[in-house]
Amino acid sequence: MAMSCLQRVGVIAFLMALPAAAAAARADTQELEQRGAYLVQITGCAGCHSPRDSEGEIIADKRLTGGDRALPVTDIGRFYPPNITPDEETGIGDWSAEDIVKALKSGETPLGRVLLPAMPWRTQFKDLTQDDALAIATYLKSLPPVRHRTPAPLAPLKGSAPQP
Ligand code: HEC
């Protein structure tokens, strides 16, 4: 059936609005990435999740690719903070932004495991607002994927003090 004149105007208006909507979506994503970059900087993700040089400085091109200092979880072991760049094999490339938000706010990974307290989600990140958690996730997903596998966990140290 032929379109009425009004319908045709409607279709044209819709088509004209599409590029504007796409540009707005891009601007939103960019804004989220910028806020996420800022939040990652001030919440200290990189401090744990990055290897350091002999001076103790974060190695810039390995930032967020996994830490080289294992963190103790009493009686369970010592754990290297993993690679959180979007590398498919050694990082979290197969996690969606929603998966990252869930891990930050509830500690739950896509495989249903609950993250250990060495990752301070329970004491800190669970209180992120949904928007801030999404900004962090959007930023992490915008990073270049870097292949870097952190070592397997180590056995617990004998006589380690109980953790709060
Ligand atoms: C005090 C050190 C520390 C800080 C700070 C920290 N993390 Fe972690 N994170 C860890 C450790 C250790 C693990 C591994 C925990 C486990 O496997 O149960 C982890 C695990 C993760 C995981 C799960 C990855 C995977 O492959 O299972 C994500 C995602 C993550 N952290 C994101 C972040 C983000 C984003 C921040 C900053 C907002 C952050 N972390 C801050 C130590 C830290």
Side-chain angles (χ1 to χ4, degrees), residues 28-151:
D28 281 357
T29 307
Q30 218 171 35
E31 217 170 280
L32 272 180
E33 275 173 27
Q34 278 167 9
R35 178 152 183 84
Y38 160 75
L39 288 167
V40 162
Q41 187 60 26
I42 62 165
T43 51
C45 318
C48 283
H49 284 273
S50 314
R52 293 170 186 267
D53 64 18
S54 54
E55 316 269 87
E57 298 292 330
I58 289 172
I59 302 171
D61 61 353
K62 294 247 173 68
R63 187 170 171 272
L64 299 171
T65 66
D68 54 6
R69 294 170 184 190
L71 302 174
V73 180
T74 316
D75 296 338
I76 304 183
R78 284 168 293 153
F79 296 84
Y80 291 94
N83 183 346
I84 53 172
T85 73
D87 184 56
E88 292 275 344
E89 241 178 277
T90 64
I92 54 171
D94 57 353
W95 291 36
S96 67
E98 290 70 30
D99 290 337
I100 300 173
V101 168
K102 195 168 175 193
L104 287 172
K105 288 185 62 66
S106 72
E108 209 180 303
T109 72
L111 293 176
R113 187 170 73 84
V114 174
L115 293 170
L116 292 162
M119 161 70 185
W121 65 270
R122 211 186 282 273
T123 48
Q124 272 179 262
F125 306 136
K126 79 166 186 343
D127 293 328
L128 282 165
T129 64
Q130 189 70 21
D131 286 356
D132 283 349
L134 183 63
I136 290 176
T138 307
Y139 169 68
L140 290 180
K141 290 202 68 73
S142 78
L143 293 172
V146 181
R147 211 185 137 74
H148 179 238
R149 201 183 293 280
T150 45

